[in-house]
Each structure stands twice: as C-alpha cells, then as structure tokens.
Amino acid sequence: MTQINLMALRHSAFYSPYLMTIAGGYLRDEGLEPRYSVATPERGVIDALRAGDCHVAQSAVATSFAALERGETPDVVHFAQINGRDGFFLAARKPDPHFTWDKLAGQRVLADHFFQPLAMFKYALHRAGVDYAALEMIDAGDVEAMERAFRAGAADYVHLQGPLPQQLEHEGSAFVVAVVSDLVGPVAFSSLCASRAWLASDLARAFMRAYRKSLGYVIAAPAEEIAARLHDAGFFTTIHRHVLMETINAYQRLGCWNAEPAIPRGDYENLLRVFRHSGLINRDHAYELAIVPPPG
C-alpha cells in the first residue's frame, strides 16, 4: 500500500464525498493507505501542500484570490469540486415555518465570520433585499465557540454548516429556517486542491479514480447508509447517527454534490460575483489561474 496524506480545511458532513474515499474503501481499492488530518492555525493547507506533508486537501477556490490579487500565479490549484452550493443553514431559536430573510433586521445573528461563509451570507442578504447593516452581527470566533454562544443565549439566529444545526434541532435548541444556497445558487464553494507537480503523478490519477467512485456513491446511496459508513469509519462519532443521516439527506436534496467533479466555469463566475459584492476582490481573475481539470 502507498500512503496518501489527506487534509481538510474544515471537518463537516458537507465534505462527505471526500471523507467517503476513506470510509468507503475506495482509496484502499486503488492501493492507497489514507492518512487524514484537519488543518490548524499553526499548520494550514497551503503550507502542508508546499512542504509535501499533504498530497490533497479540501479547501475552496476562493483561497487563491489573495495571491491572485497580488498578481501572483498560485502553485496550488483546485482540480475537483466537492460542493457546488453553499452548505450553511440558518437556524432560529424558535420554529418559524413562514420565515423570510427580512425578519433578520434588528435581530442578533451569530454568523460564521470566516472569509467565504461570511461573503456568501452577505451576498444572500443582498439577493434577499436585506441590508447587512440592519442586523446585529455577532462574531463569537470558531465553530465550537459559536455553538457555545448560541446555547448560552447570545443570539436569536445562528449560521452554521451541517451537522451542527441539525444536532441543535434534534435537541430542540434551534430550528433550521433557511439555507443560504437558495439565494446564492450554484457556486464554486469547496474543492480539492494540490500542487501542479503532484497532479501530474500516478498517485494523483489513482486518487481521482477513487474520488469519482466516492462522489457517485454519496449522490446515489441512501443517506442512512452513508451516515452508517461514516460513523463506522470513526467520523462524527459525537453526532447522533440519525442527525448525521438528516444532514446528508439535506445536502443531497440541495444538490450540493454533482456527478461531474470538474469545477464548472459558471460556478466560478458566480463565486467572482459573490466576492466582488463584499469587496474581497478588486477584479475578476481568469478561471485557468486557479483551476485545472481533474487528473486523468
């Protein structure tokens, strides 16, 4: 077996197609022994890829924008899409089957302030005709800190990636009232990235064969079966299996995962619109500078 080092910028059920390459045995079928880790502030995705400590990482095309804004050509590129839609949910402290986005005006909202989730949230508000400044936005820190703050009563709404909103709903602590993707639409949200040199290797082609099989599986298989396999592989063991199933089912219904892993040009163009709206980029950047076709 050949070891392959995988990293995630974040750990979420949103990335089930990536995680299932491990849980489903697809990498092992290609003769690869996976080692999985999650990025930390001290050890980020780009540094790990450049150092050779990591072969493939879950990230986002938008992570290339900082270098592109400086006029640099990134040496780490994005070669496959994991999610073609935003995967964040908006949960309220009370059920609201008739929720509309204008109800957020004047309310306390715990939002994920990481650069891409916040840019998507702002764009969703813009599409809904809601002034971002009209909300009382709260930055509690990382995801765990956000969850603690919401449980402590710090906000009326919370903006989180699955499975945390589903876990809160399972406990009766919050109720999902909206999904950001309904307003943002298809977008190059999360991706797989690697160095240009590694993508020319046999190892990259073997990984891609495994990923295509894994992606097809999570699109078509029952959510209950996917949840069971992820649990059995040691992923999300602190989350109730039914909650994990509901989360995966929600992502399947939203159409987050597309059978063709190449990153669509139209999804990238919508990403540019989102980031221009927030002022995070000053100009459009060519698709080919950040994105390459899948190996093989």
Side-chain angles (χ1 to χ4, degrees):
M1 301 288 278
T2 300
Q3 182 171 297
I4 184 167
N5 300 328
L6 311 178
M7 180 177 275
L9 183 61
R10 285 188 167 189
H11 185 61
S12 165
F14 192 39
Y15 312 116
S16 291
Y18 183 44
L19 300 176
M20 191 55 69
T21 61
I22 302 170
Y26 297 110
L27 290 171
R28 283 184 166 273
D29 290 346
E30 294 289 339
L32 305 179
E33 180 64 40
R35 187 179 70 178
Y36 174 78
S37 62
V38 179
T40 65
E42 298 75 31
R43 182 173 177 267
V45 162
I46 301 300
D47 290 341
L49 287 168
R50 286 175 176 164
D53 299 332
C54 168
H55 297 112
V56 182
Q58 169 269 316
S59 186
V61 174
T63 59
S64 298
F65 287 159
L68 291 170
E69 286 284 300
R70 295 192 298 268
E72 302 169 5
T73 299
D75 54 342
V76 170
V77 287
H78 304 266
F79 65 90
Q81 186 156 269
I82 305 176
N83 298 291
R85 286 183 175 268
D86 184 292
F88 280 74
F89 301 86
L90 185 68
R93 197 164 292 282
K94 298 178 181 179
D96 187 356
H98 305 295
F99 172 82
T100 53
W101 285 79
D102 59 343
K103 291 184 178 181
L104 295 178
Q107 300 299 304
R108 299 171 302 158
V109 181
L110 265 165
D112 191 318
H113 278 63
F114 195 51
F115 74 105
Q116 178 160 285
L118 187 60
M120 296 283 169
F121 187 72
K122 287 181 177 180
Y123 189 68
L125 290 169
H126 165 68
R127 292 292 303 274
V130 178
D131 182 5
Y132 176 76
L135 282 60
E136 186 181 334
M137 296 294 289
I138 301 170
D139 181 3
D142 63 18
V143 174
E144 290 75 16
M146 287 176 63
E147 181 186 4
R148 289 194 300 271
F150 185 77
R151 290 182 184 279
D156 308 297
Y157 295 88
V158 65
H159 163 244
L160 289 168
Q161 205 171 36
L164 282 177
Q166 289 76 16
Q167 181 68 34
L168 290 168
E169 191 165 59
H170 178 72
E171 298 169 9
S173 302
F175 303 87
V176 174
V177 293
V179 290
V180 176
S181 68
D182 282 350
L183 291 169
V184 173
V187 67
F189 194 89
S190 50
S191 58
L192 294 172
C193 63
S195 70
R196 294 178 187 271
W198 184 82
L199 286 170
S201 68
D202 289 341
L203 186 57
R205 287 185 283 274
F207 170 83
M208 197 64 214
R209 288 192 296 270
Y211 182 68
R212 284 183 181 274
K213 294 172 185 174
S214 178
L215 181 59
Y217 171 77
V218 298
I219 290 171
E224 184 176 9
E225 181 179 305
I226 298 168
R229 295 182 78 172
L230 289 173
H231 253 281
D232 291 346
F235 294 120
F236 310 110
T237 53
T238 61
I239 301 293
H240 193 284
R241 187 171 296 200
H242 177 78
V243 170
L244 186 57
M245 178 196 73
E246 288 295 328
T247 305
I248 292 166
N249 189 34
Y251 285 137
Q252 287 177 325
R253 291 196 311 270
L254 288 172
C256 292
W257 305 319
N258 300 317
E260 173 48 56
I263 300 169
R265 192 175 294 268
D267 289 12
Y268 176 69
E269 290 170 354
N270 196 29
L271 179 69
L272 294 174
R273 283 191 286 272
V274 170
F275 274 71
R276 282 200 311 269
H277 174 73
S278 289
L280 295 174
I281 56 173
N282 295 309
R283 61 190 186 279
D284 288 350
H285 300 286
Y287 174 93
E288 293 78 9
L289 292 176
I291 299 168
V292 299

